[in-house]
């Protein structure tokens, strides 16, 4: 690779420059061993020999330095642009020196090795034979298969009708109804019933096909000794817990789990992929994963008063780990089912759900370091390519190898690959922050591993962010989904990114990304507005935003319908809607509005509609009155309460009711205190009259 030690040293603020070791993993390994004795952070720009360096570190006496690894080869060194990739390589090296994210709480899975195999008996027994030396196998038969089960019964076999299967690694609960006449615990597999049945209704899974059975009961007669067949047996419900599930049922059958992200510990097997069985064998013991999310119920816009407003996180979750809990006015997330994709945090408008590992602060620091180092090293028009740590990372590396073999261009010099846990975990707040930091484009690489709803959610968020940038005069396409499953497609897409140039802020932002989504979004917007290419004189007062996924906007109130009941105020989770204790007013702070829709769904008069937009005038952060009315004065004490419109509407609706006639109707015109006083006074007068 054409590396410039002096230029890299200057970019990384190394006064003495850098010393390059081109055969560090072999002849010059001693230089690495000396470095890790200094106590300073050591970054190794080689991931191919990561295992070798880790072993060297363990074997080196006196090694005390933390070691980090970064790939600068496939990401830029192996490219037709390699001679211009110094700024990008410097940026990757700088980001690799950042501290590791702070630890977060973990989620624990415990597995003792109890495996349930569901499928045709012959295939299930063959699979069981390959894992039974380390796993305790139980089979739930779904037909005999082509050959039927072995004569020798080596594994427990369950039969009947599955009524439910839920759970995750270490905690799968199987529910089934034993509705077949043959008791598999009593069956000796003597095959007498199979031979005796005139309809061939009994297969080599030793279960009766009740649709084919004609009630000759010849099978019962030949099974008198074992007593395994009883057509009068009730279909008793059963439940049993397993640690893992291997599902062999054909793809045409109705699957147990239909979500895109399957629970950990549940595998589908085609009968050929040995890797699946190898993974099963490893799942015995205690395992931990980070608790990827943090939830703040006070910020959640999902529900108020058992009315649902925002449902974005529930709809996008590919693991079905998020459910509505209207009775508690919140959502609930099952951490064992959560796969850490972060899509819920991306579409959450309030920041009630945040990505915990790595946090938004850590991600923001990484993006800021990459872009500032790239610019300081002389790089221009930086493009951030966000990709997953699995398939996305592999695709970038495959492209680098193809470039080294001269069959592809490779990752362009201005494209900086950034690995994230999942591409859906970064959203509009970090994208706009990246543009504020100086990125000309943010591209998100999606492969065949993303759920369809992720792509819809990401595109909706990108449409919102792009509308804001275009409205401020930042010409070009700053945000893009790059779809590729092969290095050739990725190569073409990355080359297309460089065909146009995008407008960026004249001065890069210096703010630090906050953990609170709304705070980060506001800081990014403030910077982008301050340095917008379009002068304030020619900019519109407001930028219209797409309705789908917009976290910003206003509301419109039809004043003729609004009775100022203020139910919308109590429903608003962001304090965007407020009342006025001094007089009947509905007031609004647009900056706080998250467009959740709770106000609109709560309003009994259907008087509220949402208006997605970004208001650019100072009024956005100020209280403004949406509706007000003349107060109604109590007819007894003259104290104002309610509004003239609301009281008159109530009087009109109740005037014909038999319970509100005469004095009762007149009390509706009084305040609550006078209503009680008048009621007691009338009762006292009635008692005196009776006496």
């Amino acid at each position: 690779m054409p590396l410039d030690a002096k230029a890299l040293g200057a970019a990384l603020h190394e006064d003495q420059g850098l010393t390059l070791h081109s055969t560090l993993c072999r002849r010059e390994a001693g230089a690495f061993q000396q470095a890790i004795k200094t106590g300073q952070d050591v970054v190794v720009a080689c991931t191919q020999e990561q295992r070798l360096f880790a072993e060297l570190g363990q074997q080196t006496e006196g090694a005390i330095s933390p070691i980090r690894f970064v790939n600068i080869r496939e990401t830029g060194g192996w490219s037709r642009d390699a001679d211009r990739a110094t700024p990008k390589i410097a940026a990757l090296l700088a980001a690799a020196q950042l501290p590791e994210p702070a630890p977060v709480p973990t989620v624990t899975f415990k597995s003792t090795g109890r495996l349930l195999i569901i499928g045709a008996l012959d295939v299930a027994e063959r699979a069981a034979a390959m894992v039974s030396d380390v796993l305790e196998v139980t089979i739930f038969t779904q037909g005999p298969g082509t050959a039927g089960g072995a004569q020798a019964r080596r594994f427990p076999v369950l039969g009947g009708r599955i009524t439910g299967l839920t759970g995750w690694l270490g905690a799968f609960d199987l529910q089934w109804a034993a509705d077949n006449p043959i008791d598999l615990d009593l069956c000796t597999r003597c095959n007498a019933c199979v031979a005796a049945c005139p309809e061939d209704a009994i297969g080599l899974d030793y279960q009766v096909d009740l649709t084919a059975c004609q009630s000759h009961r010849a099978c019962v007669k030949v099974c008198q000794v074992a007593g395994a067949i009883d057509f009068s047996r009730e279909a008793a419900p059963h439940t049993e817990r397993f640690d893992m599930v291997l599902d062999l049922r054909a793809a045409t059958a109705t699957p147990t789990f239909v979500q895109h992200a399957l629970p950990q510990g549940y595998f589908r097997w085609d009968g050929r992929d040995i890797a699946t069985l190898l993974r099963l064998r490893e799942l015995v013991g205690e395992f931990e994963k980070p608790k990827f999310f943090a939830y703040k119920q006070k910020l959640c816009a999902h529900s108020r008063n058992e009315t649902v407003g925002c449902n974005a996180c529930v709809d996008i979750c590919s693991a079905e780990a998020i459910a509505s809990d209207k009775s508690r006015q919140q959502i609930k997330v099952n951490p064992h089912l959560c796969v850490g994709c972060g899509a819920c945090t991306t579409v959450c408008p309030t920041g009630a759900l945040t990505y915990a590992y790595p946090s938004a602060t850590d991600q923001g620091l990484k993006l800021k370091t990459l872009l500032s180092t790239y610019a300081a090293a002389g790089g221009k028009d930086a493009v951030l390519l966000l990709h997953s740590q699995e398939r996305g990372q592999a695709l970038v590396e495959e492209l680098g190898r193809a470039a080294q073999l001269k069959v592809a261009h490779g990752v362009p010099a201005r494209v900086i690959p950034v690995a994230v846990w999942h591409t859906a975990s970064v959203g509009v707040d970090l994208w706009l922050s990246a543009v504020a930091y100086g990125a000309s484009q943010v591209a998100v690489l999606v492969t065949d591993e993303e759920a369809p709803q992720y792509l819809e959610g990401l595109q909706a968020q990108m449409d919102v962010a792009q509308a804001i940038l275009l409205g401020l005069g930042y010409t070009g396409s700053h945000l893009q989904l790059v779809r590729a499953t092969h290095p050739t497609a990725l190569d073409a897409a990355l080359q297309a990114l460089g065909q146009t140039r995008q407008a960026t802020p004249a001065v890069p932002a210096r703010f630090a990304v906050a953990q609170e989504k709304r705070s980060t979004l506001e800081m990014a917007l403030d910077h982008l507005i301050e340095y917008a290419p379009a002068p304030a004189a020619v900019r519109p007062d407001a930028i219209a935003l797409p309705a789908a996924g917009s976290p910003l906007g206003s509301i419109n109130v039809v004043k003729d319908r609004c009775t100022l009941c203020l139910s919308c105020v109590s429903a608003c989770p962001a304090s965007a809607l407020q009342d006025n204790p001094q007089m009947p007013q509905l007031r609004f702070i647009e900056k706080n509005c998250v467009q959740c829709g709770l106000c609109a769904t709560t309003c009994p008069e259907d008087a509220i509609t949402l208006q997605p937009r970004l208001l650019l005038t100072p009024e956005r952060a100020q209280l403004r009155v949406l509706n007000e009315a003349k107060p109604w004065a109590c007819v007894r004490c003259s104290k104002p309460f309610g509004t003239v419109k609301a009281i008159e509407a109530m009087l009109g609706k109740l005037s014909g009711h038999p319970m509100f006639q005469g004095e009762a109707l007149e009390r509706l015109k009084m305040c609550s205190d006078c209503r009680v006083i008048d009621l007691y006074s009338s009762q006292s007068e009635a008692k005196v009259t009776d006496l």
Side-chain angles (χ1 to χ4, degrees):
M1 294 184 291
L3 296 175
D4 185 340
K6 185 177 181 180
L8 287 173
L12 297 171
H13 306 291
E14 297 283 346
D15 295 336
Q16 304 299 321
L18 297 178
T19 301
L20 294 180
H21 299 270
S22 59
T23 53
L24 181 60
C25 54
R26 300 294 182 232
R27 290 201 316 260
E28 301 173 277
F32 166 73
Q33 291 178 300
Q34 290 298 321
I36 61 177
K37 294 179 181 180
T38 64
Q40 297 178 336
D41 289 352
V42 174
V43 176
V44 180
C46 175
T47 52
Q48 174 182 299
E49 300 295 342
Q50 183 169 344
R51 180 176 178 180
L52 173 63
F53 282 115
E55 291 176 351
L56 277 175
Q58 293 174 355
Q59 297 168 6
T60 301
E61 185 176 352
I64 56 175
S65 295
I67 307 170
R68 298 189 181 88
F69 296 87
V70 61
N71 183 350
I72 63 170
R73 190 176 68 177
E74 284 85 356
T75 55
W78 281 358
S79 169
R80 294 179 189 174
D81 293 349
D83 58 340
R84 294 183 281 117
T86 297
K88 172 170 64 174
I89 292 174
L92 293 172
L93 291 171
Q97 297 180 56
L98 294 173
E100 293 294 327
V104 295
T106 57
V107 181
T108 302
F109 299 85
K110 294 181 180 180
S111 169
T112 60
R114 294 200 64 198
L115 171 65
L116 172 68
I117 302 179
I118 306 173
L121 189 57
D122 57 348
V123 183
E125 288 185 338
R126 287 199 298 272
M130 289 186 273
V131 297
S132 60
D133 58 325
V134 294
L135 302 177
E136 180 186 345
V137 180
T138 300
I139 295 172
F140 198 102
T141 177
Q142 296 283 286
T146 56
Q151 195 62 44
R153 183 169 59 184
R154 298 177 54 191
F155 311 102
V157 179
L158 305 176
R161 176 171 47 87
I162 295 177
T163 57
L165 178 60
T166 58
W168 49 84
L169 177 63
F172 284 103
D173 290 319
L174 173 72
Q175 299 92 35
W176 78 97
D179 57 358
N180 204 277
I182 299 181
D183 187 332
L184 293 175
D185 285 333
L186 298 177
C187 176
T188 63
R189 298 192 180 185
C190 68
N191 297 329
C193 60
V194 178
C197 181
E199 296 93 12
D200 293 327
I202 303 177
L204 290 177
D205 60 341
Y206 309 104
Q207 294 284 273
V208 180
D209 181 356
L210 295 175
T211 61
C213 178
Q214 298 296 319
S215 302
H216 290 92
R217 302 299 186 258
C219 56
V220 178
K221 295 177 182 179
V222 299
C223 193
Q224 288 181 353
V225 174
I229 306 178
D230 183 358
F231 281 85
S232 63
R233 184 187 300 113
E234 293 185 3
H238 296 274
T239 300
E240 194 164 347
R241 172 159 287 195
F242 297 91
D243 297 315
M244 296 164 280
V245 178
L246 182 65
D247 199 337
L248 312 182
R249 288 174 289 182
T252 54
T254 302
T256 299
F257 297 100
V258 297
Q259 63 264 39
H260 182 272
L262 300 175
Q264 289 182 291
Y266 174 85
F267 300 88
R268 293 181 182 143
W269 194 48
D270 58 5
R272 296 185 297 272
D273 182 18
I274 300 301
T276 300
L277 299 184
L278 294 177
R279 291 173 63 191
L280 277 170
R281 295 171 63 91
E282 298 173 351
L283 292 179
V284 180
E286 187 169 314
F287 308 91
E288 289 185 342
K289 70 174 182 181
K291 185 181 177 183
F292 289 101
F293 65 92
Y295 177 58
K296 295 181 180 179
Q297 192 271 336
K298 289 183 178 180
L299 299 178
C300 185
H302 172 63
S303 175
R304 289 289 188 279
N305 303 324
E306 297 190 9
T307 299
V308 173
C310 175
N311 220 33
C313 60
V314 178
D315 293 338
I316 204 170
C317 181
S318 70
E320 295 186 0
I322 306 177
S324 172
D325 188 353
K326 291 191 294 183
S327 62
R328 300 178 62 186
Q329 300 186 15
Q330 63 182 33
I331 51 101
K332 53 184 178 181
V333 186
N334 187 324
H336 289 91
L337 292 178
C338 173
V339 295
C341 67
C344 56
T345 67
T346 295
V347 299
C348 178
T350 65
L353 274 171
T354 54
Y355 204 66
Y357 187 80
S359 67
T361 301
D362 291 325
Q363 291 281 41
L365 177 60
K366 185 176 183 178
L367 299 184
K368 186 177 182 180
T369 300
L370 285 167
L371 292 167
S372 61
T373 306
Y374 177 85
K380 298 183 182 299
D381 301 318
V383 177
L384 294 180
L385 178 66
L386 307 181
H387 61 78
S388 69
Q389 294 180 336
E390 295 184 2
R391 183 68 189 117
Q393 179 75 35
L395 197 57
V396 170
E397 293 178 355
E398 289 171 22
L399 176 58
R401 290 192 292 272
Q404 176 67 2
L405 297 173
K406 312 300 183 186
V407 295
H409 189 291
V411 182
R414 59 190 285 260
V415 176
I416 307 174
V418 183
V420 294
W421 181 267
H422 199 288
T423 51
S425 65
V426 180
V428 63
D429 53 330
L430 286 172
W431 296 336
L432 289 179
S433 294
V435 175
Y437 290 148
S440 66
Q441 278 184 301
V442 177
V444 179
L445 171 59
V446 293
T447 62
D448 52 4
E449 64 184 342
E450 282 84 7
Q453 62 263 40
Y454 291 170
L455 305 186
E456 296 173 5
L458 286 171
Q459 190 60 64
Q461 293 289 300
M462 284 187 171
D463 291 343
V464 170
Q466 190 61 63
I468 292 172
L469 293 169
L470 290 176
L472 294 173
Y474 293 96
T475 56
S477 177
H478 297 77
L479 301 155
Q480 186 171 336
L481 281 180
V482 174
R483 307 179 189 227
T485 56
H486 190 273
T488 302
L490 177 59
D491 199 32
L494 295 184
Q495 296 309 308
L497 290 176
Q499 298 302 315
T500 59
R501 292 291 184 268
Q502 289 73 35
T504 57
V507 177
R510 299 176 61 87
F511 66 84
V513 167
Q515 187 60 23
E516 295 76 23
K517 180 176 184 175
R518 298 292 294 194
S519 298
T520 299
L521 183 58
E522 289 298 329
M523 287 188 290
L525 289 174
D526 288 345
H527 186 85
L528 292 169
I529 293 171
E530 182 179 358
Y531 294 99
V538 299
R539 288 201 305 258
D541 288 342
I543 301 171
L545 301 179
S550 175
L552 305 168
S554 179
I555 64 170
N556 295 318
V557 177
V558 181
K559 295 182 179 180
D560 290 341
R561 293 184 187 174
C562 177
T563 61
L564 284 177
C565 67
L566 302 180
S567 58
C568 55
V569 173
S570 62
C572 181
S575 298
L577 285 167
Q578 301 179 14
D579 65 349
N580 185 345
Q582 307 303 321
M583 59 186 304
Q585 282 185 339
L586 176 61
R587 302 187 295 178
F588 180 65
I589 302 178
E590 184 163 337
K591 183 179 180 180
N592 293 351
C593 181
V594 298
Q595 295 286 285
C596 65
L598 270 171
C599 56
T601 54
T602 300
C603 178
E605 310 298 339
D606 292 328
I608 299 177
T609 55
L610 303 181
Q611 184 184 8
R613 70 177 189 180
L614 173 60
L615 187 64
L616 300 179
T617 64
E619 188 182 26
R620 179 170 179 264
Q622 300 170 357
L623 265 175
R624 69 174 186 265
V625 177
L626 297 181
N627 193 19
E628 59 184 336
K630 182 180 178 182
W632 176 279
C634 173
V635 296
R636 193 171 187 275
C637 71
S638 301
K639 182 176 72 176
F641 78 97
T643 67
V644 171
K645 187 175 183 180
I647 300 300
E648 288 180 347
M650 179 176 62
L651 292 172
K653 291 179 180 180
L654 298 179
S655 59
H657 196 283
M659 291 184 62
F660 295 96
Q661 300 297 319
E663 293 181 350
L665 185 64
E666 194 66 19
R667 289 192 192 103
L668 294 178
K669 303 176 183 179
M670 302 178 188
C671 67
S672 57
D673 293 336
C674 291
R675 206 173 299 155
V676 173
I677 294 172
D678 187 72
L679 181 62
Y680 275 102
S681 298
S682 62
Q683 290 176 347
S684 299
E685 292 174 1
K687 289 180 181 179
V688 171
T689 303
D690 292 340
L691 291 174

